[in-house]
Amino acid sequence: MTLASGMAVRHAWRGAFAAAALNAAGMSADYLLGRNIPAMPIYPYAASVLTGIALLVFLLIHRQRATVRLGSTVFLVNNVVIMMALWITSGYWASTGPAWTPFQANKLGVLAVAMLAPELGVGLAVIAGFAAIALAKFYFLDPEIQRGFPVGEPWLILIYALFAGVLLVYRVRGLAIEREMLRVQAEAAASEQLARTFLRLSDYANTPIQTIAFATKLLSTKNEVELARTAPATRSIVALPARTLCAKSRTAAYQNHVTR
Amino acid sequence: MGTTFVLFVEDNDDLRQTFVELTTVVLERRCVGVGSYNELVALGDEVLACDAAILDINLGPDQPSGIDAYEWLRHQGYPGRIVFLTGHASTHPLVIEATRIGDAEIFPKPIDADQVQSVVEGVRR
């Protein structure tokens, strides 16, 4: 796994984990606030909270084998359960009269999705789901309750959804740029390491070559016969400095380029 | 054989021995081969009489460098020519440090016997 893909997996896992934790905590709080509403059922809250806790445990168990797809799936399941619970409970909340601010949980939900969604597609789908559930629920409410809704409701959820969608796009793009930067940095570090290795190899090779150059000169000086025999070695060594300099300057230039 | 001599500071035994022999046999100069900074300092005033000092820049890991040898020679009042020899690239920190020294030349390895001769005789090629 590369650094960039590892980062994407961590983002997905953390987003799903935070969403499940918010589900467990938020729906518990919502139940406590609404427990005195006449006939308010407990099972939608219980189902949502228990699902949130189960998903937290599931994520912890699969932490080492996590993938982006796993994070997105958990995130989607978590939010579908929340939507189902809100579909049921929002009717009871609406029956409390004009003191109720319509679909606050749905509005909070779309903003939370913008901050936590592991992937763009899943995030946009869940935002659309929260908005659709609120709008659909409105038309299932008693006409008397509908008439008691504040001005602009339930359509305000669409503005929240629009803002959440834009926030989500910017966040996902920012994360993608961050991951790309990480990938490029890792590539540059690997290239620099390679360039350093080449330079070090070249450096280590030069002292033995220098010894051979001097030894060849000594041999050819001491013995005329050796002069002819050592000629190819001498020619090769004479050609070395230019080649070595060329290779070194190219390696150094590459090193400068990748570290710039 | 000439009356003057050359100082060669190089940590590689093979290269040092070959250089000393080359200078003695081919160039007919006396040559003192020194393997480390500590060995150089131990020789003391004896080395200050040399005409040219050829110093390898890198004298081994965690060892004083050829630049330390240069500074010691100058500090002792050695007035002669000093040349650095290096197998490292120009981007190596020690080589960069050596290029900042105004009165010393740097030769990249490998150099040929003619270049050694030019150094010994004080002729720039």
Side-chain angles (χ1 to χ4, degrees):
Chain A
M1 187 184 290
T2 64
L3 273 173
S5 64
M7 194 177 169
V9 169
R10 280 198 299 278
H11 279 142
W13 190 91
R14 285 176 190 162
F17 191 86
L22 284 175
N23 174 15
M27 291 305 262
S28 298
D30 203 42
Y31 171 72
L32 288 175
L33 293 171
R35 68 185 185 281
N36 293 326
I37 295 170
M40 173 66 87
I42 190 172
Y43 72 89
Y45 288 114
S48 186
V49 170
L50 290 175
T51 303
I53 292 169
L55 291 174
L56 286 174
V57 173
F58 178 80
L59 283 169
L60 286 172
I61 290 170
H62 289 82
R63 187 172 193 174
Q64 301 303 324
R65 302 186 299 278
T67 60
V68 174
R69 177 170 285 188
L70 178 95
S72 292
T73 305
V74 168
F75 187 85
L76 189 63
V77 169
N78 185 59
N79 281 288
V80 166
V81 173
I82 293 172
M83 282 182 226
M84 288 163 64
L86 290 180
W87 174 267
I88 298 163
T89 59
S90 59
Y92 294 93
W93 279 100
S95 66
T96 58
W100 180 60
T101 307
F103 305 116
Q104 291 230 73
N106 297 59
K107 291 166 188 167
L108 189 63
V110 296
L111 295 177
V113 169
M115 302 307 295
L116 299 173
E119 290 180 290
L120 184 64
V122 171
L124 289 175
V126 174
I127 287 170
F130 273 116
I133 290 283
L135 293 176
K137 186 67 187 177
F138 174 77
Y139 289 103
F140 276 88
L141 292 174
D142 187 86
E144 189 61 32
I145 295 174
Q146 287 180 4
R147 279 193 290 276
F149 266 45
V151 176
E153 292 290 1
W155 303 103
L156 279 176
I157 187 72
L158 292 178
I159 296 172
Y160 276 86
L162 178 69
F163 274 67
V166 172
L167 279 175
L168 176 65
V169 168
Y170 270 90
R171 184 181 140 262
V172 170
R173 277 189 62 186
L175 288 175
I177 290 167
E178 199 179 328
R179 286 197 290 268
E180 179 63 13
M181 275 178 65
L182 198 71
R183 191 190 64 75
V184 170
Q185 278 174 359
E187 199 176 284
S191 301
E192 192 189 348
Q193 183 65 32
L194 189 67
R196 281 183 196 282
T197 306
F198 275 125
L199 276 179
R200 211 173 294 132
L201 276 175
S202 159
D203 293 343
Y204 287 144
N206 284 325
T207 295
I209 290 167
Q210 181 68 83
T211 308
I212 294 165
F214 287 158
T216 309
K217 178 67 179 175
L218 266 173
L219 269 177
S220 60
T221 305
K222 284 178 178 174
N223 190 334
E224 282 298 320
V225 178
E226 298 299 335
L227 181 63
R229 287 182 181 165
T230 58
T234 307
R235 281 196 299 275
S236 298
I237 291 162
V238 166
L240 262 176
R243 290 174 189 166
T244 308
L245 279 174
C246 181
K248 279 184 175 178
S249 64
R250 283 181 185 177
T251 312
Y254 182 66
Q255 199 176 353
N256 290 336
H257 174 72
V258 296
T259 52
R260 199 181 301 150
Chain B
M1 183 163 300
T3 52
T4 56
F5 76 93
V6 178
L7 170 69
F8 185 61
V9 182
E10 164 66 55
D11 62 323
N12 185 283
D13 294 341
D14 292 336
L15 178 55
R16 193 171 65 249
Q17 284 170 19
T18 314
F19 183 89
V20 169
E21 197 177 346
L22 177 84
T23 312
T24 308
V25 174
V26 179
L27 304 179
E28 298 182 334
R29 294 285 196 285
R30 193 160 72 86
C31 182
V32 174
V34 176
S36 69
Y37 172 83
N38 292 336
E39 204 178 316
L40 174 72
V41 172
L43 286 172
D45 291 345
E46 187 187 333
V47 295
L48 300 179
C50 67
D51 293 292
I54 301 174
L55 315 174
D56 183 26
I57 290 182
N58 190 347
L59 295 176
D62 303 323
Q63 293 295 318
S65 67
I67 295 165
D68 296 316
Y70 166 90
E71 284 169 356
W72 182 83
L73 285 168
R74 289 296 187 224
H75 188 71
Q76 297 298 311
Y78 170 70
R81 188 177 186 189
I82 297 180
V83 168
F84 286 117
L85 198 60
T86 180
H88 288 289
S90 58
T91 51
H92 191 282
L94 280 174
V95 180
I96 292 169
E97 197 180 337
T99 55
R100 294 190 181 127
I101 297 171
D103 65 342
E105 296 162 78
I106 301 174
F107 284 91
K109 292 176 186 173
I111 58 172
D112 60 27
D114 293 341
Q115 285 175 296
V116 175
Q117 189 170 9
S118 75
V119 169
V120 171
E121 294 175 356
V123 180
R124 287 169 189 263
R125 288 170 68 88

